[in-house]
Amino acid sequence: MKVRAGGLVAAAAVVVVLVTVGSAAARSSACGTVTINEQAWAGSTANTYVVKNVLEKNLGCHVNITKVAEVPVYQAMADGKTDAILEDWGHQPQWDQYVTKQKTVVRAGANGVKGVIGWYIPTYLMKQHPEFKTWKGLKGKETLFKSPESGSQGMFLGGDPSYQQKDQTLIKALGLNLKFVSVGAEPAQVARWTQLYKQKKPVLFYWYDPQYLNATYQVSRIQLPKRFKGCLDDEKLGGDPKKYACEYPSYTLLKFMSKKFASSGSPAVGVVKRFSWSNADQNAVAKMIAGDHMNPDQAAQKWISANKAKVNKWLGK
Amino acid sequence: MVRVTTLALPAPPASRVDRSGEPLIRAAGVWKIFGRHADRIIGTSDAELPRAELRAKTGCVAAVRDVSFDVWPGEVFVVMGLSGSGKSTLVRTLIRLIEPSAGQVDIAGKDVTAASQAELRELRRHTSSMVFQHFGLLAHRRVIDNVAFGLEIQGVSKAERLARAEKVLQLVGLEDSANSFPDQLSGGMQQRVGLARAFAVDPKVMLYDEPFSALDPLIRRDMQDEVIRLQHETGKTMVFITHDLPEALRLGDRIAIMRDGAIVQLGTPEELVGSPADEYVENFVRDIPRSHVLTIRWIMRDARPGEEDGPRLDVRTNVRKAIPVIAESERPVCAVEDGRVVGVVDRETVLTAIAGESA
Amino acid sequence: MAVAQPAARAVAAPAPRPWWRGRAGLVVAVVLGIVISYFGWRNDVPWPASLTWNSLAAHLDSFQTWLSDHRNLPHPSIVFRAFNGLASFLDDIVGWLTSFFFKLTWIGTTVLGVLVVLRYGGRRAALGVAAAFAAFAAMGLWEPSVRTFALTFASVALALAIGLPLGVLAGRSDRFARAITPVLDAMQIIPAFAYLMPIVILFSVGPGAAVATTLIYAIPPAIRITALGIRGVQPNTVEAATALGATRLQTLFKVQLPLARRMLLLSVNQTILFALSMVVIAGLIGGQGLGDVVTSGLYSNPALALLAGVAIVIMAIALDRATEAMAIRTDPAHRHLTEGKKRRLRLYTLACAAAVGLAVGLGYAFGAGSVWTGWTGQSWLLRQVQSVLDYVQNPSTFVFHITNPIGNFIVQYGLEPLRTFFVATPWPAMVFGLALIAFLVSGLRPALIVAAMLAVVGVANEWTPAMDTLSQVLVATVLTLAVGIPLGIWAAESERARRGMRPVLDVLQTLPQLVYIIPFIYLMPVSIVPGVMASVLYASPVVIRLVEAGIREVSPNSVEAAGAFGATRAQVLLKVKIPLAREAIMLGVNQGLIMVLAVVVIGGLVGSGALGYDVAQGLQRSLFGQGVLASLAILALGIALDRVTQGRRRRRLGDLA
């Protein structure tokens, strides 16, 4: 026992000295610390790092990045642990709860990117089968998309389980002979369809834009039935499938802030509110990061130096 | 049931043990039944069932059945039986390492069965002490710390307990190994540590649970000698459990033979060998050379007139030791008790006795 | 008839029973019955809607909303404030540890780690730790590694602080052990995804929440192994102490705990590994460190995610070896310290402490950073990993022409038909069939439990996904056994094979599940296959180790006796060792199933669908009720499978007790 006690005393002494020496750490300027949450997809990484670099370089803020999943991040904002998210594809239950009811999270406007969700096929297939321009063309040709998983039916490759989707109900509503196959998270889905793409085989899948991969792979969207009044998107509600028989809405991607951050008076609040760019802007940065594996900070700075005007607008100049 | 079998013939030899006072240990009607609702069996007719039948009927196992005995101060009391005869359970019920199902045990005038946990601890700390078959040493402590363990439990200061442990180690001849660890010692030496640990608390009663059965025969003999020596030097009262009859005969002042949880015979070594109570005991003692155990009392015949002036031997003399005297003497040898000739032994009687062994 | 015969019959050997009258035969008959019912009433008898409790999910959802609303009030109740305090306490511990390591500078941290292990664990282990530090630096993951270590350290310390006392209790009281075992089972089988959201509501996000999540998973092994250690102390030493009049506390502190030392340290070691396996999940709720790198990298930079996974493995193996070495080297029962040696060791300790101080001083003198930011090979490594990933993904290479048909075959002829079979078979046939099999293999009680558990699955409205999952679990288990049993036998027979396998098995057991799915996503992106492959990889080390241990533990006497009769090595193996190791092999089957089930949720992320998908979606799309119910179904399925395969082993143990 004594042996260890000796060691402990010595270690404790070292600790005490170090802590007292080190606690005089540096503090940041007026802007203080801003915490932005980066979501899992590449577009979100692009938003986050561009804003991070703008805040750090122009306002002297210290920017922390958290990487909390999409739903828990609302609680993180309610607690003030995360200050802002820059791209949300629609979480109505969370909005009801945190924004409307609890008022712990506040809206910060749109980020300018228009989100589109839909059914996609590779463009080469669209050229071979122009009838696939609308969903009606799929009728009777479903078996073209046969795969080991789908048996005698055609395969519809579903999206990441965490994404907004209603394809199972849509297939039923449209009376298509397709089997909904989930291959899980986005990387797995991408691996699946790109492999078929590279073999120039037919594949029908859930996809969206903006997406940096759309710069690498040529994909085309199938026109689903037009939206009608009372058309539903949330599969969970159940009911008559016919009510879901319309295309996905186009999404205005939204920004949110924690109440605490919004009322902090930090100059960063204005930048987060004004931040807005186009699909092309985001795709460009995302491609550098995820496609070319560039360091996210470098990619952001590269875009910033080429787009001074836009950045100045965000800064309110 | 078979109770203590007292032989009508001849009277037990005078012993070095003084049985005039109060016994140090008194066990009366001790039962131990393992299983559910075991306590409901005692006193019913089921209790009289043989073990296998009891188990089949109730699922309970009667390990100890209505055992009673007394042990006087300074006595070495051996309990002998085959494995499963209940002897180890019996010794544990004495200090309630296993709770007896019924019966009463008194040690040094204290009713152990009625003792509170605290009283029981006091008893175990100061009055009794036990040596185990598999030693039960603490592998993470030095030999001397193991020996001092009982004193440590009692709260004796470190310096004092180490000093006492050192003395006890000398007693068992292990003073050179005080700083060794148990795994560095041979089995025999480890059991010496076990002995020393038991002695270190200076108990009135020593309980041995088959202490030497895990040892080699030669070492076992050494250890038996050691126990005899320690017993002579310290005069402790001992209860000694064994399954080895020669060991029992060597050590025991009196021996209780157990079978299926009950005592089938209780007596001195001579009594067991000379007049086994039943076939079971007889089977046990059959291979024991009778001449080694019996005294000439067991083989003498009545003196005929004129034979009473031959060479004299005490009636308690071992037959084996008497043989040279008898062989040298032309006349029958007289067996003497209290200065009175009680019988004679001649070559013929000795030869008959020895011949009986090989039959 | 046989009045005169009993004696003769007792001597004659009983006639061998034909196999179809044995247990195996009856099981086959039951399976046949289920198959017949499938062909007779396929899809006709789905789980009836009247027997499901549909509103349960909604109730759970509104519970979560209630929780969140009350938690986020301007003045929450004392309960929530207590959780708040607890959360910031946990946050502070991790934060303090992290900044402590940062303040030591990277030099000081390295020297501290290496010297502590050198002093207490010896040269080999210290070398391992040094290599691990070098690897973190080379991979450019120094900072996340330190953060992950701080998180693990805090979690393990707390898990032990809670787990050891409870383990001691469970070791000393049968009743407590019986009461706590099902709770521990649930803590280990229920997927973390299910309770992530309530944890976030109570603890918010960040390291504190990550620690709380990790604790749920890491406490059970600490309790179990401690209890096992206390129970494993030779009863005669405890008896000896009791006979000397020791009190219960004296017996505990002077006899049981010191003698259970090896097991206690093993529980430390295992707790570390369990805690590390939660690092990735913790990344989802702001756990920071390597877990973050894995979860976010998975989408935008899989090569980096893989690299971070490797860093976790390196940390796990280094810590495993270090704690193991320290456990052995500091064991007083084997060290036999003399006073002189003790004095020298004390000096050694002081010297090490001084060296650490010196290193820290040097770090400050030369302005060393808090983390290593010098040269790293990260970009080079990433390029290599990426090129491998690209290669296996490329459909024009020969790898693809091997893996693609295999993947397609497994799906087309194994998984899909089996899935259809399980989903479409009438539910009464399934419930009674499985219960009957449990009865034949394990006895009445397990059979009743199986029936009850399947009923729970049905009532929770998870029948179809559960059957889907069950089909995948069975395929994965069969593959696991096909791989694990031969390898286990080989490892038992050949020392060289064992030594060769050990590091591979270590890697497979510590690699976060999410990480080794990555290569399979690219290698065989056919929906269900990566999940199955991952399950096989995850579960086979356990099977291999159990089979190996079982065969090695066959008494050498029996082997020697067989050898004396002139049996060949193969005969010894087939006729002596394997039959005698049957219990261990059955245990391997049992554990294999449970481990496979544990990967189900992760499988949901890579296309296994079914229960795993429901659980994952539960967290990610705020379908709390759905997630909980699917988790419940996984738990029920786990208990059912355990009971079906547990055999008569436990019953026999029960008889002995």
Side-chain angles (χ1 to χ4, degrees), chain B residues 140-171:
Chain B
H140 62 291
R141 288 164 170 246
R142 291 178 303 167
V143 163
I144 190 155
D145 298 323
N146 264 291
V147 173
F149 186 60
L151 298 167
E152 184 181 337
I153 295 289
Q154 295 173 12
V156 175
S157 77
K158 189 165 182 184
E160 191 187 335
R161 66 179 188 243
L162 286 183
R164 268 165 73 180
E166 216 159 314
K167 267 191 209 130
V168 181
L169 274 177
Q170 274 169 16
L171 196 65

mmCIF file of all heavy atoms in Angstrom, chain B residues 140-171:
data_model
loop_
_atom_site.group_PDB
_atom_site.id
_atom_site.type_symbol
_atom_site.label_atom_id
_atom_site.label_comp_id
_atom_site.label_asym_id
_atom_site.label_seq_id
_atom_site.Cartn_x
_atom_site.Cartn_y
_atom_site.Cartn_z
ATOM 1 N N HIS B 140 -2.328 -14.135 -0.583
ATOM 2 C CA HIS B 140 -1.730 -12.821 -0.788
ATOM 3 C C HIS B 140 -0.959 -12.349 0.438
ATOM 4 O O HIS B 140 -0.492 -11.220 0.466
ATOM 5 C CB HIS B 140 -2.807 -11.815 -1.153
ATOM 6 C CG HIS B 140 -3.844 -11.631 -0.081
ATOM 7 N ND1 HIS B 140 -4.743 -12.613 0.253
ATOM 8 C CD2 HIS B 140 -4.106 -10.599 0.731
ATOM 9 C CE1 HIS B 140 -5.519 -12.184 1.222
ATOM 10 N NE2 HIS B 140 -5.152 -10.962 1.537
ATOM 11 N N ARG B 141 -0.839 -13.212 1.463
ATOM 12 C CA ARG B 141 -0.135 -12.793 2.670
ATOM 13 C C ARG B 141 1.056 -13.702 2.922
ATOM 14 O O ARG B 141 1.034 -14.880 2.596
ATOM 15 C CB ARG B 141 -1.073 -12.887 3.872
ATOM 16 C CG ARG B 141 -2.127 -11.826 3.861
ATOM 17 C CD ARG B 141 -3.206 -12.210 4.819
ATOM 18 N NE ARG B 141 -4.120 -11.102 5.004
ATOM 19 C CZ ARG B 141 -4.262 -10.451 6.163
ATOM 20 N NH1 ARG B 141 -3.594 -10.836 7.223
ATOM 21 N NH2 ARG B 141 -5.085 -9.438 6.255
ATOM 22 N N ARG B 142 2.035 -13.112 3.567
ATOM 23 C CA ARG B 142 3.207 -13.905 3.942
ATOM 24 C C ARG B 142 2.790 -14.945 4.971
ATOM 25 O O ARG B 142 1.748 -14.837 5.614
ATOM 26 C CB ARG B 142 4.275 -12.996 4.552
ATOM 27 C CG ARG B 142 4.918 -12.051 3.578
ATOM 28 C CD ARG B 142 5.903 -11.179 4.306
ATOM 29 N NE ARG B 142 5.257 -10.454 5.411
ATOM 30 C CZ ARG B 142 5.914 -9.821 6.372
ATOM 31 N NH1 ARG B 142 7.230 -9.844 6.401
ATOM 32 N NH2 ARG B 142 5.260 -9.187 7.311
ATOM 33 N N VAL B 143 3.655 -15.929 5.160
ATOM 34 C CA VAL B 143 3.386 -16.990 6.126
ATOM 35 C C VAL B 143 3.102 -16.390 7.495
ATOM 36 O O VAL B 143 2.119 -16.731 8.158
ATOM 37 C CB VAL B 143 4.587 -17.949 6.187
ATOM 38 C CG1 VAL B 143 4.516 -18.801 7.442
ATOM 39 C CG2 VAL B 143 4.590 -18.826 4.949
ATOM 40 N N ILE B 144 3.949 -15.437 7.906
ATOM 41 C CA ILE B 144 3.797 -14.916 9.270
ATOM 42 C C ILE B 144 2.488 -14.141 9.409
ATOM 43 O O ILE B 144 1.824 -14.193 10.447
ATOM 44 C CB ILE B 144 5.021 -14.061 9.668
ATOM 45 C CG1 ILE B 144 4.962 -13.753 11.158
ATOM 46 C CG2 ILE B 144 5.115 -12.794 8.858
ATOM 47 C CD1 ILE B 144 6.290 -13.464 11.769
ATOM 48 N N ASP B 145 2.089 -13.468 8.309
ATOM 49 C CA ASP B 145 0.808 -12.750 8.367
ATOM 50 C C ASP B 145 -0.357 -13.721 8.422
ATOM 51 O O ASP B 145 -1.389 -13.445 9.032
ATOM 52 C CB ASP B 145 0.653 -11.840 7.143
ATOM 53 C CG ASP B 145 1.737 -10.786 7.105
ATOM 54 O OD1 ASP B 145 2.116 -10.290 8.184
ATOM 55 O OD2 ASP B 145 2.217 -10.469 6.005
ATOM 56 N N ASN B 146 -0.183 -14.870 7.750
ATOM 57 C CA ASN B 146 -1.215 -15.895 7.820
ATOM 58 C C ASN B 146 -1.345 -16.410 9.247
ATOM 59 O O ASN B 146 -2.447 -16.608 9.750
ATOM 60 C CB ASN B 146 -0.874 -17.055 6.885
ATOM 61 C CG ASN B 146 -1.562 -16.926 5.542
ATOM 62 O OD1 ASN B 146 -2.767 -17.047 5.457
ATOM 63 N ND2 ASN B 146 -0.784 -16.644 4.516
ATOM 64 N N VAL B 147 -0.199 -16.652 9.889
ATOM 65 C CA VAL B 147 -0.229 -17.191 11.253
ATOM 66 C C VAL B 147 -0.858 -16.163 12.192
ATOM 67 O O VAL B 147 -1.603 -16.503 13.112
ATOM 68 C CB VAL B 147 1.191 -17.579 11.701
ATOM 69 C CG1 VAL B 147 1.196 -17.981 13.166
ATOM 70 C CG2 VAL B 147 1.714 -18.703 10.838
ATOM 71 N N ALA B 148 -0.570 -14.892 11.914
ATOM 72 C CA ALA B 148 -1.073 -13.843 12.805
ATOM 73 C C ALA B 148 -2.515 -13.462 12.494
ATOM 74 O O ALA B 148 -3.099 -12.628 13.171
ATOM 75 C CB ALA B 148 -0.191 -12.604 12.688
ATOM 76 N N PHE B 149 -3.107 -14.113 11.492
ATOM 77 C CA PHE B 149 -4.415 -13.682 11.007
ATOM 78 C C PHE B 149 -5.492 -13.721 12.095
ATOM 79 O O PHE B 149 -6.279 -12.791 12.245
ATOM 80 C CB PHE B 149 -4.829 -14.539 9.803
ATOM 81 C CG PHE B 149 -6.095 -14.084 9.138
ATOM 82 C CD1 PHE B 149 -6.185 -12.823 8.590
ATOM 83 C CD2 PHE B 149 -7.195 -14.913 9.069
ATOM 84 C CE1 PHE B 149 -7.343 -12.393 7.983
ATOM 85 C CE2 PHE B 149 -8.365 -14.495 8.456
ATOM 86 C CZ PHE B 149 -8.434 -13.233 7.911
ATOM 87 N N GLY B 150 -5.479 -14.819 12.859
ATOM 88 C CA GLY B 150 -6.487 -14.940 13.909
ATOM 89 C C GLY B 150 -6.371 -13.823 14.931
ATOM 90 O O GLY B 150 -7.371 -13.296 15.420
ATOM 91 N N LEU B 151 -5.125 -13.440 15.235
ATOM 92 C CA LEU B 151 -4.901 -12.368 16.203
ATOM 93 C C LEU B 151 -5.329 -11.026 15.606
ATOM 94 O O LEU B 151 -5.870 -10.168 16.290
ATOM 95 C CB LEU B 151 -3.423 -12.321 16.587
ATOM 96 C CG LEU B 151 -2.919 -13.607 17.259
ATOM 97 C CD1 LEU B 151 -1.410 -13.623 17.331
ATOM 98 C CD2 LEU B 151 -3.525 -13.730 18.646
ATOM 99 N N GLU B 152 -5.086 -10.894 14.285
ATOM 100 C CA GLU B 152 -5.479 -9.669 13.594
ATOM 101 C C GLU B 152 -7.008 -9.505 13.672
ATOM 102 O O GLU B 152 -7.509 -8.403 13.929
ATOM 103 C CB GLU B 152 -5.024 -9.747 12.138
ATOM 104 C CG GLU B 152 -5.287 -8.485 11.340
ATOM 105 C CD GLU B 152 -4.837 -8.629 9.896
ATOM 106 O OE1 GLU B 152 -3.969 -9.479 9.614
ATOM 107 O OE2 GLU B 152 -5.367 -7.878 9.059
ATOM 108 N N ILE B 153 -7.696 -10.611 13.465
ATOM 109 C CA ILE B 153 -9.156 -10.597 13.559
ATOM 110 C C ILE B 153 -9.604 -10.126 14.943
ATOM 111 O O ILE B 153 -10.578 -9.403 15.098
ATOM 112 C CB ILE B 153 -9.713 -12.013 13.288
ATOM 113 C CG1 ILE B 153 -9.424 -12.454 11.863
ATOM 114 C CG2 ILE B 153 -11.200 -12.098 13.589
ATOM 115 C CD1 ILE B 153 -10.219 -11.744 10.827
ATOM 116 N N GLN B 154 -8.836 -10.546 15.953
ATOM 117 C CA GLN B 154 -9.201 -10.172 17.321
ATOM 118 C C GLN B 154 -8.873 -8.724 17.627
ATOM 119 O O GLN B 154 -9.268 -8.197 18.671
ATOM 120 C CB GLN B 154 -8.447 -11.053 18.323
ATOM 121 C CG GLN B 154 -8.817 -12.512 18.253
ATOM 122 C CD GLN B 154 -7.940 -13.360 19.138
ATOM 123 O OE1 GLN B 154 -7.195 -12.835 19.980
ATOM 124 N NE2 GLN B 154 -8.002 -14.667 18.955
ATOM 125 N N GLY B 155 -8.082 -8.108 16.733
ATOM 126 C CA GLY B 155 -7.724 -6.714 16.949
ATOM 127 C C GLY B 155 -6.446 -6.536 17.750
ATOM 128 O O GLY B 155 -6.205 -5.466 18.311
ATOM 129 N N VAL B 156 -5.614 -7.573 17.790
ATOM 130 C CA VAL B 156 -4.336 -7.462 18.489
ATOM 131 C C VAL B 156 -3.409 -6.556 17.679
ATOM 132 O O VAL B 156 -3.433 -6.586 16.448
ATOM 133 C CB VAL B 156 -3.705 -8.867 18.652
ATOM 134 C CG1 VAL B 156 -2.320 -8.770 19.266
ATOM 135 C CG2 VAL B 156 -4.611 -9.753 19.463
ATOM 136 N N SER B 157 -2.611 -5.744 18.360
ATOM 137 C CA SER B 157 -1.750 -4.791 17.651
ATOM 138 C C SER B 157 -0.727 -5.538 16.798
ATOM 139 O O SER B 157 -0.397 -6.687 17.054
ATOM 140 C CB SER B 157 -1.017 -3.904 18.640
ATOM 141 O OG SER B 157 0.053 -4.636 19.199
ATOM 142 N N LYS B 158 -0.260 -4.833 15.783
ATOM 143 C CA LYS B 158 0.568 -5.502 14.791
ATOM 144 C C LYS B 158 1.851 -6.077 15.405
ATOM 145 O O LYS B 158 2.207 -7.229 15.169
ATOM 146 C CB LYS B 158 0.917 -4.520 13.672
ATOM 147 C CG LYS B 158 1.597 -5.197 12.509
ATOM 148 C CD LYS B 158 1.615 -4.322 11.287
ATOM 149 C CE LYS B 158 2.278 -5.067 10.129
ATOM 150 N NZ LYS B 158 2.418 -4.264 8.930
ATOM 151 N N ALA B 159 2.522 -5.265 16.206
ATOM 152 C CA ALA B 159 3.795 -5.716 16.769
ATOM 153 C C ALA B 159 3.583 -6.961 17.627
ATOM 154 O O ALA B 159 4.317 -7.954 17.504
ATOM 155 C CB ALA B 159 4.413 -4.598 17.611
ATOM 156 N N GLU B 160 2.539 -6.912 18.446
ATOM 157 C CA GLU B 160 2.310 -8.024 19.354
ATOM 158 C C GLU B 160 1.953 -9.294 18.591
ATOM 159 O O GLU B 160 2.457 -10.375 18.883
ATOM 160 C CB GLU B 160 1.195 -7.665 20.343
ATOM 161 C CG GLU B 160 1.099 -8.668 21.474
ATOM 162 C CD GLU B 160 -0.115 -8.411 22.352
ATOM 163 O OE1 GLU B 160 -0.587 -7.247 22.384
ATOM 164 O OE2 GLU B 160 -0.590 -9.368 22.983
ATOM 165 N N ARG B 161 1.105 -9.137 17.581
ATOM 166 C CA ARG B 161 0.668 -10.359 16.909
ATOM 167 C C ARG B 161 1.803 -10.963 16.097
ATOM 168 O O ARG B 161 1.925 -12.179 15.988
ATOM 169 C CB ARG B 161 -0.577 -10.107 16.060
ATOM 170 C CG ARG B 161 -0.403 -9.210 14.879
ATOM 171 C CD ARG B 161 -1.722 -9.075 14.134
ATOM 172 N NE ARG B 161 -1.534 -8.372 12.886
ATOM 173 C CZ ARG B 161 -2.087 -7.200 12.587
ATOM 174 N NH1 ARG B 161 -2.883 -6.612 13.441
ATOM 175 N NH2 ARG B 161 -1.877 -6.633 11.414
ATOM 176 N N LEU B 162 2.672 -10.102 15.561
ATOM 177 C CA LEU B 162 3.798 -10.662 14.813
ATOM 178 C C LEU B 162 4.754 -11.388 15.760
ATOM 179 O O LEU B 162 5.295 -12.450 15.433
ATOM 180 C CB LEU B 162 4.531 -9.566 14.043
ATOM 181 C CG LEU B 162 3.777 -9.054 12.810
ATOM 182 C CD1 LEU B 162 4.620 -8.025 12.064
ATOM 183 C CD2 LEU B 162 3.396 -10.196 11.879
ATOM 184 N N ALA B 163 4.942 -10.818 16.929
ATOM 185 C CA ALA B 163 5.828 -11.465 17.900
ATOM 186 C C ALA B 163 5.271 -12.835 18.297
ATOM 187 O O ALA B 163 6.003 -13.836 18.336
ATOM 188 C CB ALA B 163 5.978 -10.580 19.140
ATOM 189 N N ARG B 164 3.966 -12.872 18.528
ATOM 190 C CA ARG B 164 3.380 -14.146 18.913
ATOM 191 C C ARG B 164 3.415 -15.142 17.768
ATOM 192 O O ARG B 164 3.676 -16.327 17.965
ATOM 193 C CB ARG B 164 1.941 -13.933 19.412
ATOM 194 C CG ARG B 164 1.922 -13.720 20.912
ATOM 195 C CD ARG B 164 0.622 -13.152 21.391
ATOM 196 N NE ARG B 164 -0.479 -14.115 21.365
ATOM 197 C CZ ARG B 164 -1.710 -13.782 21.751
ATOM 198 N NH1 ARG B 164 -1.968 -12.548 22.173
ATOM 199 N NH2 ARG B 164 -2.666 -14.665 21.707
ATOM 200 N N ALA B 165 3.170 -14.640 16.567
ATOM 201 C CA ALA B 165 3.187 -15.524 15.407
ATOM 202 C C ALA B 165 4.579 -16.124 15.231
ATOM 203 O O ALA B 165 4.734 -17.300 14.889
ATOM 204 C CB ALA B 165 2.783 -14.750 14.160
ATOM 205 N N GLU B 166 5.586 -15.318 15.509
ATOM 206 C CA GLU B 166 6.956 -15.809 15.354
ATOM 207 C C GLU B 166 7.228 -16.977 16.302
ATOM 208 O O GLU B 166 7.834 -17.977 15.931
ATOM 209 C CB GLU B 166 7.924 -14.664 15.620
ATOM 210 C CG GLU B 166 9.134 -14.726 14.740
ATOM 211 C CD GLU B 166 9.792 -13.354 14.641
ATOM 212 O OE1 GLU B 166 9.065 -12.362 14.434
ATOM 213 O OE2 GLU B 166 11.006 -13.302 14.810
ATOM 214 N N LYS B 167 6.721 -16.819 17.518
ATOM 215 C CA LYS B 167 6.915 -17.894 18.496
ATOM 216 C C LYS B 167 6.246 -19.178 18.048
ATOM 217 O O LYS B 167 6.817 -20.267 18.138
ATOM 218 C CB LYS B 167 6.337 -17.457 19.855
ATOM 219 C CG LYS B 167 7.380 -16.809 20.731
ATOM 220 C CD LYS B 167 6.850 -16.644 22.146
ATOM 221 C CE LYS B 167 7.512 -15.436 22.794
ATOM 222 N NZ LYS B 167 6.561 -14.528 23.411
ATOM 223 N N VAL B 168 5.019 -19.022 17.560
ATOM 224 C CA VAL B 168 4.291 -20.219 17.130
ATOM 225 C C VAL B 168 4.987 -20.863 15.934
ATOM 226 O O VAL B 168 5.046 -22.083 15.817
ATOM 227 C CB VAL B 168 2.831 -19.861 16.797
ATOM 228 C CG1 VAL B 168 2.080 -21.100 16.379
ATOM 229 C CG2 VAL B 168 2.162 -19.234 17.986
ATOM 230 N N LEU B 169 5.526 -20.011 15.062
ATOM 231 C CA LEU B 169 6.242 -20.556 13.911
ATOM 232 C C LEU B 169 7.425 -21.408 14.372
ATOM 233 O O LEU B 169 7.733 -22.441 13.792
ATOM 234 C CB LEU B 169 6.735 -19.421 13.001
ATOM 235 C CG LEU B 169 5.715 -18.932 11.973
ATOM 236 C CD1 LEU B 169 6.286 -17.774 11.180
ATOM 237 C CD2 LEU B 169 5.315 -20.053 11.034
ATOM 238 N N GLN B 170 8.111 -20.949 15.417
ATOM 239 C CA GLN B 170 9.209 -21.749 15.969
ATOM 240 C C GLN B 170 8.692 -23.092 16.459
ATOM 241 O O GLN B 170 9.319 -24.127 16.234
ATOM 242 C CB GLN B 170 9.864 -21.002 17.132
ATOM 243 C CG GLN B 170 10.931 -20.040 16.663
ATOM 244 C CD GLN B 170 11.374 -19.130 17.781
ATOM 245 O OE1 GLN B 170 11.108 -19.413 18.955
ATOM 246 N NE2 GLN B 170 12.027 -18.050 17.420
ATOM 247 N N LEU B 171 7.547 -23.047 17.091
ATOM 248 C CA LEU B 171 6.951 -24.260 17.630
ATOM 249 C C LEU B 171 6.750 -25.306 16.532
ATOM 250 O O LEU B 171 6.938 -26.498 16.746
ATOM 251 C CB LEU B 171 5.610 -23.905 18.277
ATOM 252 C CG LEU B 171 4.975 -24.917 19.211
ATOM 253 C CD1 LEU B 171 5.855 -25.105 20.443
ATOM 254 C CD2 LEU B 171 3.594 -24.434 19.629
#
